[in-house]
Amino acid sequence: MFKQEHIPGLYNNRLFFALYFPQGMGDIGIIILTLA
C-alpha cells in the first residue's frame, strides 16, 4: 500500500509507528528509549 501511494520507505517501519501511533507497552518502551 505504501508503494502504491508513493510514500517513502522511511515511514514504513516500527519506529515511526511506535512514535506516532503507539499501541502497546512495547511501543511505549521505544518512545522512552528514543527520548533517553
Side-chain angles (χ1 to χ4, degrees), residues 9-34:
L10 172 67
Y11 302 117
N12 188 18
N13 63 40
R14 170 76 184 202
L15 178 62
F16 178 80
F17 282 101
L19 292 176
Y20 293 101
F21 307 108
Q23 294 183 349
M25 290 305 295
D27 292 344
I28 301 300
I30 292 173
I31 292 170
I32 291 171
L33 288 174
T34 302

